[in-house]
Amino acid sequence: TWTLSASSITLDGAIQVRSIIMDSDGTVYASVVNTNGGEIYKSDDGTTWQKLASAATLGGASCIDSLLIDIAGNIYAAVNGTNIVIYKSSDGGSTWNITADAGDLNNPISLYDLQTDAQGNIYAVVEDNDGAAVYWSEDNGGSWSRIADRYNLGDAPCFYDYHSSLLGTDSSGNIFVASYTEEVYKSADKGSTW
């Protein structure tokens, strides 16, 4: 049986829910777009929702296309808007700091997806100055490296996002990415080859 847990009324007039995740304690986090821009909410029971971050808190976010919780419990938000950056919270969403900016991600045009693997590495799917690209961080967002671009991914000029996951990992450490060319690519060596 399904019951309504949140509506545009409980989420300050949300027009869209862009991402939803749950931590190991059962707390649910949702990113929404409303007339104020992108915002992040949390709920312990799905009935009551608390705003954690507003568009102003997140540097003028027009939308937050992806949320992620890593194995250490840090929350990441892929923010598109005035600044296209990745924010990180290490305290359950009370405070947010930029963990990847334009310089880290080759001046991105858009951030699409965030994922993690069993080892705790963080992956970001972006469209940057050179087209489609995948970046990763093996130190909880402290530094970022480009591991794939349009030339390893079927010469994809960009990713075509319908608010879906574009990247996945499995327990063996394989990385899978879907490209604009309607193909799925796999890397078994942390992005060295695809």
Side-chain angles (χ1 to χ4, degrees), residues 34-55:
N34 61 29
T35 56
N36 300 317
E39 298 183 334
I40 300 173
Y41 291 80
K42 82 171 185 176
S43 177
D44 293 328
D45 61 4
T47 304
T48 57
W49 292 81
Q50 173 190 357
K51 186 188 300 184
L52 296 178
S54 67

Side-chain angles (χ1 to χ4, degrees), residues 68 70-71 74 76 86-88 98-101 104-105 113-126 134-148 167 169 175 190-191:
L68 168 74
D70 69 14
I71 60 175
N74 299 306
Y76 298 82
I86 300 173
Y87 277 86
K88 175 182 172 182
I98 294 173
T99 191
D101 62 18
D104 297 314
L105 304 174
D113 196 13
L114 298 173
Q115 294 292 327
T116 188
D117 62 21
Q119 294 75 39
N121 300 308
I122 309 297
Y123 300 87
V125 178
V126 307
V134 178
Y135 289 81
W136 83 312
S137 173
E138 56 185 339
D139 58 3
N140 299 315
S143 60
W144 294 83
S145 300
R146 186 184 195 146
I147 61 169
L167 186 138
T169 61
I175 308 165
K190 302 242 183 271

Side-chain angles (χ1 to χ4, degrees), residues 145-163:
S145 300
R146 186 184 195 146
I147 61 169
D149 58 32
R150 66 183 289 178
Y151 306 106
N152 332 71
L153 303 173
D155 201 23
C158 64
F159 292 103
Y160 206 64
D161 180 33
Y162 283 109
H163 314 301

Side-chain angles (χ1 to χ4, degrees), residues 42-101:
K42 82 171 185 176
S43 177
D44 293 328
D45 61 4
T47 304
T48 57
W49 292 81
Q50 173 190 357
K51 186 188 300 184
L52 296 178
S54 67
T57 307
L58 299 174
S62 59
C63 68
I64 299 136
D65 277 321
S66 185
L67 293 174
L68 168 74
I69 298 176
D70 69 14
I71 60 175
N74 299 306
I75 306 168
Y76 298 82
V79 173
N80 290 295
T82 305
N83 298 302
I84 300 173
V85 297
I86 300 173
Y87 277 86
K88 175 182 172 182
S89 175
S90 299
D91 57 11
S94 295
T95 59
W96 296 86
N97 296 297
I98 294 173
T99 191
D101 62 18

